[in-house]
Amino acid sequence: QVQLVESGGGVVQPGNSLRLSCAVSGRTFTAYTVAWFRQAPGKERDFVAAIRRSGGNTDTSFADSVRGRFTISRDNAKTMWSLQMNSLKPEDTAVYYCAVSSRRLITSQIRVTNDYDYWGQGTQVTVSS
């Protein structure tokens, strides 16, 4: 079994930053695609960002609403991924979930929740003055 644990959520004022982390543990598992989704109250779970392994490199994708403000990266430990969120807005308020897939998902798949193998329990991010 593979476990994902998100951390780093909290309450911040608009314009500030937060860094979320996703730690992967459990049986040997190679995550070829790692993504962050978010879900606000009463809304569907939406894609935020993804990072995919491509040979020795990685490529990233972002939702239009966060492009230029959020970055996604793989930490040196190689079993932890981070979502750096800058210039936060009240509309970024949501529960943020980390998801992983053992496949390198194609572009049309990365925004689809059903294509991921494992999910974390979520971490709350609240942006409010």
Side-chain angles (χ1 to χ4, degrees), residues 34-91:
V34 177
W36 289 90
F37 288 76
R38 66 187 181 186
Q39 188 166 20
K43 296 188 177 181
E44 294 185 349
R45 191 168 297 188
D46 291 332
F47 169 79
V48 175
I51 184 168
R52 297 180 292 180
R53 295 177 64 173
S54 178
N57 300 313
T58 57
D59 60 72
T60 57
S61 300
F62 298 92
D64 290 343
S65 59
V66 306
R67 187 175 292 112
R69 299 188 296 123
F70 291 11
T71 57
I72 185 172
S73 61
R74 182 185 184 189
D75 291 352
N76 290 335
K78 298 186 178 181
T79 58
M80 181 174 289
W81 285 262
S82 295
L83 182 70
Q84 177 67 40
M85 306 186 295
N86 299 327
S87 302
L88 283 162
K89 304 175 181 180
E91 51 264 44

CSV table of all heavy atoms in Angstrom, one decimal, residues 34-91:
chain,number,residue,atom,x,y,z
A,34,VAL,N,2.7,13.3,-10.7
A,34,VAL,CA,2.3,13.8,-9.4
A,34,VAL,C,1.5,15.1,-9.6
A,34,VAL,O,1.9,15.9,-10.4
A,34,VAL,CB,3.4,14.0,-8.4
A,34,VAL,CG1,2.9,14.6,-7.1
A,34,VAL,CG2,4.2,12.8,-8.2
A,35,ALA,N,0.3,15.2,-9.0
A,35,ALA,CA,-0.5,16.3,-9.2
A,35,ALA,C,-1.1,16.8,-7.9
A,35,ALA,O,-1.2,16.1,-6.9
A,35,ALA,CB,-1.6,16.0,-10.2
A,36,TRP,N,-1.5,18.1,-8.0
A,36,TRP,CA,-2.3,18.7,-6.9
A,36,TRP,C,-3.6,19.1,-7.5
A,36,TRP,O,-3.7,19.6,-8.6
A,36,TRP,CB,-1.6,19.9,-6.4
A,36,TRP,CG,-0.3,19.6,-5.6
A,36,TRP,CD1,0.9,19.5,-6.0
A,36,TRP,CD2,-0.3,19.4,-4.2
A,36,TRP,NE1,1.8,19.3,-5.0
A,36,TRP,CE2,1.1,19.2,-3.8
A,36,TRP,CE3,-1.2,19.4,-3.1
A,36,TRP,CZ2,1.5,18.9,-2.6
A,36,TRP,CZ3,-0.8,19.1,-1.8
A,36,TRP,CH2,0.6,18.9,-1.6
A,37,PHE,N,-4.7,18.7,-6.7
A,37,PHE,CA,-6.0,19.2,-7.0
A,37,PHE,C,-6.5,20.0,-5.8
A,37,PHE,O,-5.9,19.9,-4.7
A,37,PHE,CB,-6.9,17.9,-7.2
A,37,PHE,CG,-6.7,17.2,-8.5
A,37,PHE,CD1,-5.6,16.4,-8.7
A,37,PHE,CD2,-7.6,17.3,-9.5
A,37,PHE,CE1,-5.3,15.7,-9.8
A,37,PHE,CE2,-7.4,16.6,-10.7
A,37,PHE,CZ,-6.3,15.8,-10.9
A,38,ARG,N,-7.6,20.6,-6.0
A,38,ARG,CA,-8.2,21.3,-4.8
A,38,ARG,C,-9.7,21.3,-5.0
A,38,ARG,O,-10.3,21.2,-6.0
A,38,ARG,CB,-7.7,22.8,-4.8
A,38,ARG,CG,-8.2,23.7,-5.9
A,38,ARG,CD,-7.5,25.1,-5.8
A,38,ARG,NE,-7.9,26.0,-6.9
A,38,ARG,CZ,-7.3,27.2,-7.1
A,38,ARG,NH1,-6.4,27.6,-6.2
A,38,ARG,NH2,-7.8,27.9,-8.0
A,39,GLN,N,-10.4,21.4,-3.8
A,39,GLN,CA,-11.8,21.3,-3.7
A,39,GLN,C,-12.3,22.3,-2.7
A,39,GLN,O,-12.0,22.2,-1.5
A,39,GLN,CB,-12.3,19.9,-3.4
A,39,GLN,CG,-13.8,19.7,-3.5
A,39,GLN,CD,-14.1,18.2,-3.4
A,39,GLN,OE1,-13.4,17.4,-3.0
A,39,GLN,NE2,-15.3,17.9,-3.9
A,40,ALA,N,-13.1,23.3,-3.2
A,40,ALA,CA,-13.7,24.3,-2.4
A,40,ALA,C,-15.1,23.7,-2.0
A,40,ALA,O,-15.7,22.9,-2.6
A,40,ALA,CB,-13.8,25.6,-3.1
A,41,PRO,N,-15.6,24.2,-0.9
A,41,PRO,CA,-17.0,23.8,-0.4
A,41,PRO,C,-18.0,23.9,-1.5
A,41,PRO,O,-18.2,24.9,-2.1
A,41,PRO,CB,-17.3,24.7,0.8
A,41,PRO,CG,-15.9,25.1,1.3
A,41,PRO,CD,-15.1,25.2,0.1
A,42,GLY,N,-18.7,22.8,-1.7
A,42,GLY,CA,-19.8,22.8,-2.7
A,42,GLY,C,-19.4,22.7,-4.1
A,42,GLY,O,-20.2,22.8,-5.0
A,43,LYS,N,-18.1,22.6,-4.4
A,43,LYS,CA,-17.6,22.5,-5.7
A,43,LYS,C,-16.9,21.2,-6.0
A,43,LYS,O,-16.6,20.4,-5.1
A,43,LYS,CB,-16.6,23.7,-6.0
A,43,LYS,CG,-17.3,25.0,-5.9
A,43,LYS,CD,-16.4,26.2,-6.3
A,43,LYS,CE,-17.1,27.5,-6.3
A,43,LYS,NZ,-16.2,28.6,-6.7
A,44,GLU,N,-16.6,20.9,-7.3
A,44,GLU,CA,-15.9,19.7,-7.7
A,44,GLU,C,-14.4,19.9,-7.4
A,44,GLU,O,-13.9,21.0,-7.2
A,44,GLU,CB,-16.2,19.5,-9.2
A,44,GLU,CG,-17.6,19.1,-9.5
A,44,GLU,CD,-17.7,18.8,-11.0
A,44,GLU,OE1,-16.8,19.0,-11.8
A,44,GLU,OE2,-18.8,18.3,-11.4
A,45,ARG,N,-13.8,18.7,-7.4
A,45,ARG,CA,-12.3,18.7,-7.2
A,45,ARG,C,-11.7,19.1,-8.5
A,45,ARG,O,-11.9,18.5,-9.6
A,45,ARG,CB,-11.8,17.3,-6.8
A,45,ARG,CG,-10.4,17.3,-6.3
A,45,ARG,CD,-10.1,16.0,-5.7
A,45,ARG,NE,-10.9,15.8,-4.4
A,45,ARG,CZ,-10.7,14.8,-3.6
A,45,ARG,NH1,-9.7,13.9,-3.8
A,45,ARG,NH2,-11.4,14.6,-2.5
A,46,ASP,N,-10.9,20.2,-8.5
A,46,ASP,CA,-10.3,20.8,-9.7
A,46,ASP,C,-8.8,20.6,-9.8
A,46,ASP,O,-8.1,20.6,-8.7
A,46,ASP,CB,-10.6,22.3,-9.8
A,46,ASP,CG,-12.1,22.5,-10.0
A,46,ASP,OD1,-12.7,21.7,-10.7
A,46,ASP,OD2,-12.5,23.6,-9.6
A,47,PHE,N,-8.3,20.4,-10.9
A,47,PHE,CA,-6.9,20.3,-11.2
A,47,PHE,C,-6.2,21.6,-10.9
A,47,PHE,O,-6.7,22.7,-11.2
A,47,PHE,CB,-6.6,19.9,-12.6
A,47,PHE,CG,-5.2,20.0,-13.1
A,47,PHE,CD1,-4.3,19.0,-12.8
A,47,PHE,CD2,-4.7,21.0,-13.8
A,47,PHE,CE1,-3.0,19.0,-13.2
A,47,PHE,CE2,-3.4,21.1,-14.3
A,47,PHE,CZ,-2.6,20.1,-13.9
A,48,VAL,N,-5.0,21.5,-10.3
A,48,VAL,CA,-4.2,22.7,-10.0
A,48,VAL,C,-2.9,22.7,-10.7
A,48,VAL,O,-2.5,23.6,-11.5
A,48,VAL,CB,-3.9,22.8,-8.5
A,48,VAL,CG1,-3.0,24.0,-8.2
A,48,VAL,CG2,-5.2,23.0,-7.7
A,49,ALA,N,-2.1,21.6,-10.5
A,49,ALA,CA,-0.8,21.5,-11.2
A,49,ALA,C,-0.4,20.0,-11.2
A,49,ALA,O,-0.8,19.2,-10.4
A,49,ALA,CB,0.2,22.3,-10.4
A,50,ALA,N,0.6,19.7,-12.1
A,50,ALA,CA,1.1,18.4,-12.2
A,50,ALA,C,2.5,18.4,-12.7
A,50,ALA,O,3.0,19.4,-13.3
A,50,ALA,CB,0.3,17.5,-13.2
A,51,ILE,N,3.3,17.4,-12.3
A,51,ILE,CA,4.7,17.3,-12.7
A,51,ILE,C,4.8,15.8,-13.2
A,51,ILE,O,4.4,14.9,-12.5
A,51,ILE,CB,5.7,17.6,-11.6
A,51,ILE,CG1,7.1,17.6,-12.1
A,51,ILE,CG2,5.4,16.8,-10.3
A,51,ILE,CD1,8.1,18.2,-11.1
A,52,ARG,N,5.5,15.7,-14.3
A,52,ARG,CA,5.6,14.3,-14.9
A,52,ARG,C,7.1,14.1,-15.2
A,52,ARG,O,7.8,15.0,-15.6
A,52,ARG,CB,4.9,14.2,-16.2
A,52,ARG,CG,3.4,14.4,-16.1
A,52,ARG,CD,2.7,14.3,-17.5
A,52,ARG,NE,3.0,15.4,-18.3
A,52,ARG,CZ,2.5,15.6,-19.5
A,52,ARG,NH1,1.7,14.7,-20.1
A,52,ARG,NH2,2.8,16.7,-20.3
A,53,ARG,N,7.5,12.8,-14.9
A,53,ARG,CA,8.8,12.4,-15.2
A,53,ARG,C,8.9,12.1,-16.7
A,53,ARG,O,8.0,11.5,-17.3
A,53,ARG,CB,9.2,11.2,-14.4
A,53,ARG,CG,9.3,11.4,-13.0
A,53,ARG,CD,9.6,10.1,-12.2
A,53,ARG,NE,10.9,9.6,-12.5
A,53,ARG,CZ,11.4,8.6,-11.9
A,53,ARG,NH1,10.8,7.9,-11.0
A,53,ARG,NH2,12.6,8.1,-12.2
A,54,SER,N,10.0,12.6,-17.3
A,54,SER,CA,10.2,12.4,-18.7
A,54,SER,C,11.7,12.1,-18.9
A,54,SER,O,12.5,13.0,-19.1
A,54,SER,CB,9.8,13.6,-19.5
A,54,SER,OG,10.0,13.5,-20.9
A,55,GLY,N,12.1,10.8,-18.9
A,55,GLY,CA,13.5,10.5,-19.0
A,55,GLY,C,14.1,11.0,-17.7
A,55,GLY,O,13.7,10.7,-16.6
A,56,GLY,N,15.2,11.7,-17.9
A,56,GLY,CA,15.9,12.3,-16.7
A,56,GLY,C,15.3,13.7,-16.3
A,56,GLY,O,15.8,14.3,-15.4
A,57,ASN,N,14.3,14.1,-17.1
A,57,ASN,CA,13.8,15.4,-16.8
A,57,ASN,C,12.4,15.4,-16.3
A,57,ASN,O,11.8,14.3,-16.2
A,57,ASN,CB,13.9,16.3,-18.1
A,57,ASN,CG,15.3,16.4,-18.6
A,57,ASN,OD1,16.2,16.7,-17.9
A,57,ASN,ND2,15.5,16.1,-19.9
A,58,THR,N,11.8,16.5,-16.1
A,58,THR,CA,10.4,16.6,-15.7
A,58,THR,C,9.7,17.7,-16.5
A,58,THR,O,10.4,18.6,-17.0
A,58,THR,CB,10.2,16.9,-14.2
A,58,THR,OG1,10.9,18.1,-13.9
A,58,THR,CG2,10.8,15.8,-13.3
A,59,ASP,N,8.4,17.6,-16.6
A,59,ASP,CA,7.7,18.7,-17.2
A,59,ASP,C,6.5,19.0,-16.3
A,59,ASP,O,6.0,18.1,-15.6
A,59,ASP,CB,7.3,18.4,-18.7
A,59,ASP,CG,6.4,17.2,-18.8
A,59,ASP,OD1,5.2,17.3,-18.3
A,59,ASP,OD2,6.8,16.2,-19.3
A,60,THR,N,6.0,20.2,-16.4
A,60,THR,CA,5.0,20.7,-15.5
A,60,THR,C,3.8,21.3,-16.2
A,60,THR,O,3.9,21.7,-17.4
A,60,THR,CB,5.5,21.8,-14.5
A,60,THR,OG1,6.0,22.9,-15.2
A,60,THR,CG2,6.6,21.2,-13.6
A,61,SER,N,2.6,21.2,-15.6
A,61,SER,CA,1.4,21.8,-16.2
A,61,SER,C,0.6,22.5,-15.1
A,61,SER,O,0.7,22.0,-13.9
A,61,SER,CB,0.5,20.7,-16.8
A,61,SER,OG,1.2,20.0,-17.8
A,62,PHE,N,-0.1,23.5,-15.4
A,62,PHE,CA,-0.8,24.3,-14.4
A,62,PHE,C,-2.2,24.7,-14.9
A,62,PHE,O,-2.4,24.9,-16.1
A,62,PHE,CB,0.0,25.6,-14.1
A,62,PHE,CG,1.3,25.3,-13.5
A,62,PHE,CD1,2.4,25.3,-14.2
A,62,PHE,CD2,1.4,25.2,-12.1
A,62,PHE,CE1,3.7,25.0,-13.7
A,62,PHE,CE2,2.6,24.9,-11.5
A,62,PHE,CZ,3.8,24.8,-12.3
A,63,ALA,N,-3.1,24.8,-14.0
A,63,ALA,CA,-4.4,25.4,-14.4
A,63,ALA,C,-4.2,26.9,-14.7
A,63,ALA,O,-3.3,27.5,-14.1
A,63,ALA,CB,-5.4,25.2,-13.2
A,64,ASP,N,-5.0,27.4,-15.5
A,64,ASP,CA,-4.9,28.8,-15.9
A,64,ASP,C,-5.0,29.7,-14.7
A,64,ASP,O,-4.3,30.8,-14.7
A,64,ASP,CB,-6.0,29.1,-16.9
A,64,ASP,CG,-5.8,28.5,-18.3
A,64,ASP,OD1,-4.6,28.0,-18.6
A,64,ASP,OD2,-6.7,28.4,-19.1
A,65,SER,N,-5.8,29.3,-13.8
A,65,SER,CA,-6.0,30.2,-12.6
A,65,SER,C,-4.8,30.3,-11.7
A,65,SER,O,-4.8,31.3,-10.9
A,65,SER,CB,-7.2,29.7,-11.8
A,65,SER,OG,-7.0,28.3,-11.4
A,66,VAL,N,-3.9,29.4,-11.8
A,66,VAL,CA,-2.7,29.5,-10.9
A,66,VAL,C,-1.4,29.7,-11.6
A,66,VAL,O,-0.4,29.9,-11.0
A,66,VAL,CB,-2.6,28.3,-10.0
A,66,VAL,CG1,-3.9,28.0,-9.3
A,66,VAL,CG2,-2.2,27.0,-10.8
A,67,ARG,N,-1.4,29.6,-13.0
A,67,ARG,CA,-0.2,29.7,-13.7
A,67,ARG,C,0.5,31.1,-13.5
A,67,ARG,O,-0.2,32.1,-13.5
A,67,ARG,CB,-0.5,29.6,-15.2
A,67,ARG,CG,0.8,29.5,-16.1
A,67,ARG,CD,0.5,29.2,-17.5
A,67,ARG,NE,0.0,27.9,-17.7
A,67,ARG,CZ,-1.3,27.6,-18.1
A,67,ARG,NH1,-2.1,28.5,-18.3
A,67,ARG,NH2,-1.7,26.3,-18.2
A,68,GLY,N,1.8,31.0,-13.2
A,68,GLY,CA,2.5,32.2,-12.9
A,68,GLY,C,2.6,32.5,-11.4
A,68,GLY,O,3.4,33.3,-11.0
A,69,ARG,N,1.7,31.9,-10.6
A,69,ARG,CA,1.7,32.1,-9.2
A,69,ARG,C,2.2,30.9,-8.4
A,69,ARG,O,2.8,31.0,-7.3
A,69,ARG,CB,0.3,32.5,-8.7
A,69,ARG,CG,-0.2,33.8,-9.3
A,69,ARG,CD,-1.5,34.2,-8.6
A,69,ARG,NE,-2.6,33.2,-8.8
A,69,ARG,CZ,-3.3,32.7,-7.8
A,69,ARG,NH1,-3.0,32.9,-6.6
A,69,ARG,NH2,-4.2,31.8,-8.1
A,70,PHE,N,1.9,29.7,-9.0
A,70,PHE,CA,2.2,28.4,-8.3
A,70,PHE,C,3.3,27.7,-9.1
A,70,PHE,O,3.4,27.8,-10.3
A,70,PHE,CB,1.0,27.5,-8.3
A,70,PHE,CG,-0.1,27.9,-7.4
A,70,PHE,CD1,-0.2,29.2,-6.8
A,70,PHE,CD2,-1.2,27.1,-7.1
A,70,PHE,CE1,-1.2,29.6,-6.0
A,70,PHE,CE2,-2.2,27.4,-6.2
A,70,PHE,CZ,-2.2,28.7,-5.7
A,71,THR,N,4.1,27.0,-8.3
A,71,THR,CA,5.1,26.1,-8.9
A,71,THR,C,5.1,24.8,-8.3
A,71,THR,O,4.7,24.7,-7.1
A,71,THR,CB,6.5,26.7,-8.8
A,71,THR,OG1,6.9,26.9,-7.4
A,71,THR,CG2,6.7,28.0,-9.6
A,72,ILE,N,5.4,23.7,-9.0
A,72,ILE,CA,5.4,22.4,-8.5
A,72,ILE,C,6.8,21.8,-8.7
A,72,ILE,O,7.4,22.0,-9.8
A,72,ILE,CB,4.3,21.5,-9.2
A,72,ILE,CG1,4.2,20.1,-8.5
A,72,ILE,CG2,4.5,21.4,-10.7
A,72,ILE,CD1,3.0,19.3,-9.0
A,73,SER,N,7.3,21.1,-7.7
A,73,SER,CA,8.6,20.6,-7.8
A,73,SER,C,8.8,19.3,-7.1
A,73,SER,O,7.9,19.0,-6.2
A,73,SER,CB,9.6,21.6,-7.3
A,73,SER,OG,9.4,21.9,-6.0
A,74,ARG,N,9.8,18.6,-7.4
A,74,ARG,CA,10.2,17.4,-6.7
A,74,ARG,C,11.4,17.7,-5.8
A,74,ARG,O,12.4,18.2,-6.2
A,74,ARG,CB,10.6,16.3,-7.7
A,74,ARG,CG,10.9,14.9,-7.1
A,74,ARG,CD,11.4,14.0,-8.2
A,74,ARG,NE,11.6,12.7,-7.7
A,74,ARG,CZ,12.2,11.7,-8.4
A,74,ARG,NH1,12.6,12.0,-9.6
A,74,ARG,NH2,12.4,10.5,-7.9
A,75,ASP,N,11.3,17.3,-4.5
A,75,ASP,CA,12.3,17.7,-3.6
A,75,ASP,C,13.5,16.7,-3.7
A,75,ASP,O,13.3,15.6,-4.3
A,75,ASP,CB,11.8,17.7,-2.1
A,75,ASP,CG,10.9,18.8,-1.9
A,75,ASP,OD1,10.8,19.7,-2.8
A,75,ASP,OD2,10.2,18.9,-0.9
A,76,ASN,N,14.6,17.0,-3.2
A,76,ASN,CA,15.8,16.2,-3.3
A,76,ASN,C,15.6,14.8,-2.7
A,76,ASN,O,16.3,13.8,-3.2
A,76,ASN,CB,17.0,16.9,-2.6
A,76,ASN,CG,17.4,18.1,-3.4
A,76,ASN,OD1,17.2,18.2,-4.6
A,76,ASN,ND2,18.1,19.0,-2.7
A,77,ALA,N,14.7,14.6,-1.8
A,77,ALA,CA,14.5,13.3,-1.2
A,77,ALA,C,13.9,12.4,-2.2
A,77,ALA,O,13.9,11.2,-2.0
A,77,ALA,CB,13.6,13.5,0.0
A,78,LYS,N,13.3,12.9,-3.2
A,78,LYS,CA,12.7,12.2,-4.3
A,78,LYS,C,11.5,11.4,-4.0
A,78,LYS,O,10.9,10.7,-4.8
A,78,LYS,CB,13.7,11.3,-5.0
A,78,LYS,CG,14.9,12.0,-5.6
A,78,LYS,CD,15.8,11.1,-6.3
A,78,LYS,CE,17.0,11.9,-7.0
A,78,LYS,NZ,17.9,11.0,-7.7
A,79,THR,N,11.1,11.5,-2.7
A,79,THR,CA,9.8,10.9,-2.3
A,79,THR,C,8.9,12.0,-1.8
A,79,THR,O,7.9,11.7,-1.1
A,79,THR,CB,10.0,9.8,-1.3
A,79,THR,OG1,10.6,10.3,-0.1
A,79,THR,CG2,10.7,8.6,-1.9
A,80,MET,N,9.2,13.2,-2.1
A,80,MET,CA,8.4,14.3,-1.6
A,80,MET,C,8.3,15.4,-2.7
A,80,MET,O,9.2,15.7,-3.4
A,80,MET,CB,9.0,15.0,-0.4
A,80,MET,CG,8.1,16.1,0.2
A,80,MET,SD,8.8,16.8,1.7
A,80,MET,CE,8.3,15.4,2.9
A,81,TRP,N,7.1,15.9,-2.9
A,81,TRP,CA,6.8,16.9,-3.9
A,81,TRP,C,6.2,18.1,-3.2
A,81,TRP,O,5.5,18.0,-2.2
A,81,TRP,CB,5.8,16.3,-5.0
A,81,TRP,CG,6.5,15.4,-5.9
A,81,TRP,CD1,7.0,15.6,-7.1
A,81,TRP,CD2,6.7,14.0,-5.7
A,81,TRP,NE1,7.5,14.5,-7.7
A,81,TRP,CE2,7.3,13.4,-6.8
A,81,TRP,CE3,6.4,13.1,-4.6
A,81,TRP,CZ2,7.7,12.1,-6.9
A,81,TRP,CZ3,6.8,11.8,-4.7
A,81,TRP,CH2,7.4,11.3,-5.8
A,82,SER,N,6.4,19.2,-3.8
A,82,SER,CA,6.0,20.5,-3.2
A,82,SER,C,5.2,21.3,-4.1
A,82,SER,O,5.4,21.3,-5.4
A,82,SER,CB,7.2,21.3,-2.7
A,82,SER,OG,7.8,20.6,-1.7
A,83,LEU,N,4.3,22.1,-3.6
A,83,LEU,CA,3.5,23.1,-4.3
A,83,LEU,C,3.7,24.4,-3.7
A,83,LEU,O,3.3,24.6,-2.5
A,83,LEU,CB,2.0,22.7,-4.4
A,83,LEU,CG,1.1,23.7,-5.2
A,83,LEU,CD1,1.4,23.5,-6.7
A,83,LEU,CD2,-0.4,23.5,-4.9
A,84,GLN,N,4.5,25.3,-4.3
A,84,GLN,CA,4.8,26.6,-3.8
A,84,GLN,C,3.7,27.5,-4.4
A,84,GLN,O,3.5,27.7,-5.6
A,84,GLN,CB,6.1,27.1,-4.3
A,84,GLN,CG,6.5,28.5,-3.8
A,84,GLN,CD,6.6,28.7,-2.3
A,84,GLN,OE1,7.2,27.8,-1.7
A,84,GLN,NE2,6.1,29.7,-1.8
A,85,MET,N,3.0,28.2,-3.4
A,85,MET,CA,1.8,29.0,-3.8
A,85,MET,C,2.1,30.5,-3.4
A,85,MET,O,2.3,30.7,-2.2
A,85,MET,CB,0.6,28.5,-3.1
A,85,MET,CG,0.3,27.1,-3.4
A,85,MET,SD,-1.3,26.5,-2.7
A,85,MET,CE,-1.0,26.7,-1.0
A,86,ASN,N,2.3,31.3,-4.4
A,86,ASN,CA,2.6,32.7,-4.2
A,86,ASN,C,1.4,33.6,-4.6
A,86,ASN,O,0.5,33.1,-5.3
A,86,ASN,CB,3.8,33.1,-4.9
A,86,ASN,CG,5.0,32.4,-4.5
A,86,ASN,OD1,5.2,32.0,-3.4
A,86,ASN,ND2,5.9,32.1,-5.5
A,87,SER,N,1.4,34.8,-4.1
A,87,SER,CA,0.3,35.8,-4.4
A,87,SER,C,-1.0,35.2,-4.2
A,87,SER,O,-1.9,35.2,-5.1
A,87,SER,CB,0.5,36.3,-5.9
A,87,SER,OG,1.8,36.9,-6.0
A,88,LEU,N,-1.3,34.6,-3.1
A,88,LEU,CA,-2.5,33.9,-2.9
A,88,LEU,C,-3.7,34.8,-2.9
A,88,LEU,O,-3.6,36.0,-2.4
A,88,LEU,CB,-2.4,33.1,-1.6
A,88,LEU,CG,-1.6,31.8,-1.7
A,88,LEU,CD1,-1.2,31.3,-0.3
A,88,LEU,CD2,-2.4,30.7,-2.4
A,89,LYS,N,-4.8,34.3,-3.4
A,89,LYS,CA,-6.1,35.0,-3.5
A,89,LYS,C,-7.2,34.3,-2.7
A,89,LYS,O,-7.1,33.1,-2.4
A,89,LYS,CB,-6.5,35.1,-4.9
A,89,LYS,CG,-5.5,35.7,-5.9
A,89,LYS,CD,-6.0,35.6,-7.3
A,89,LYS,CE,-4.9,36.2,-8.3
A,89,LYS,NZ,-5.4,36.2,-9.7
A,90,PRO,N,-8.2,35.0,-2.2
A,90,PRO,CA,-9.3,34.4,-1.5
A,90,PRO,C,-9.9,33.2,-2.3
A,90,PRO,O,-10.3,32.2,-1.7
A,90,PRO,CB,-10.3,35.5,-1.3
A,90,PRO,CG,-9.5,36.7,-1.3
A,90,PRO,CD,-8.3,36.5,-2.3
A,91,GLU,N,-9.9,33.3,-3.6
A,91,GLU,CA,-10.5,32.2,-4.4
A,91,GLU,C,-9.6,31.0,-4.4
A,91,GLU,O,-10.0,29.9,-5.0
A,91,GLU,CB,-10.8,32.7,-5.8
A,91,GLU,CG,-9.6,33.4,-6.5
A,91,GLU,CD,-9.7,34.9,-6.4
A,91,GLU,OE1,-10.0,35.4,-5.3
A,91,GLU,OE2,-9.4,35.6,-7.4
